[in-house]
Amino acid sequence: MVALAASFALSSGLQKTSAAESFANFLVRICKPGGRYALIFAIYFATMLLSELLSNTAAVTLMFPIVADPDTGIAVTQNLNIYAALYAMMFAASLCFSTPVGYQTNLMVHGPGGYTFM
């Protein structure tokens, strides 16, 4: 719960300090040669990484201003289909099952089940 609450504050801070815009510009600059598909993949990959480290809700909360801000978001500035960008973000956030850290029940069965990670 604390991570979720902190992610809202961090998301607001990303917008107010222009860090979201800077990260969006960074992703656009790196993905420029690959075009729109590379941008969608970058949104997917960045959200997936955040989802593995935080909760899926926190990952979406942090990525939303980067992707869909009406003034500086990647979808707006690069003329991407907003639905494609948001679907990529939504599906990537749902990948929190991939690691033991990504979701609470994964941690609960990790030790007793004898599972190994990496």
Side-chain angles (χ1 to χ4, degrees):
M1 195 61 147
V2 173
L4 178 61
S7 68
F8 281 111
L10 190 57
S11 178
S12 177
L14 283 172
Q15 286 177 312
K16 290 181 182 173
T17 62
S18 299
E21 182 179 3
S22 297
F23 187 65
N25 290 336
F26 171 73
L27 285 178
V28 168
R29 194 170 47 251
I30 285 184
C31 297
K32 197 67 150 179
R36 292 175 185 220
Y37 293 114
L39 278 172
I40 296 292
F41 177 76
I43 291 167
Y44 185 89
F45 191 72
T47 307
M48 181 189 67
L49 286 178
L50 283 174
S51 179
E52 298 304 334
L53 300 172
L54 306 168
S55 71
N56 53 355
T57 308
V60 169
T61 305
L62 290 175
M63 285 299 291
F64 191 82
I66 295 167
V67 174
D69 185 83
D71 299 323
T72 61
I74 293 174
V76 175
T77 60
Q78 298 305 305
N79 214 11
L80 288 177
N81 182 342
I82 189 72
Y83 293 113
L86 292 178
Y87 276 123
M89 192 171 59
M90 179 177 58
F91 284 123
S94 297
L95 289 175
C96 63
F97 64 85
S98 301
T99 65
V101 183
Y103 201 69
Q104 300 89 342
T105 51
N106 294 6
L107 283 173
M108 289 172 26
V109 299
H110 183 71
Y115 297 109
T116 58
F117 178 69
M118 302 197 82

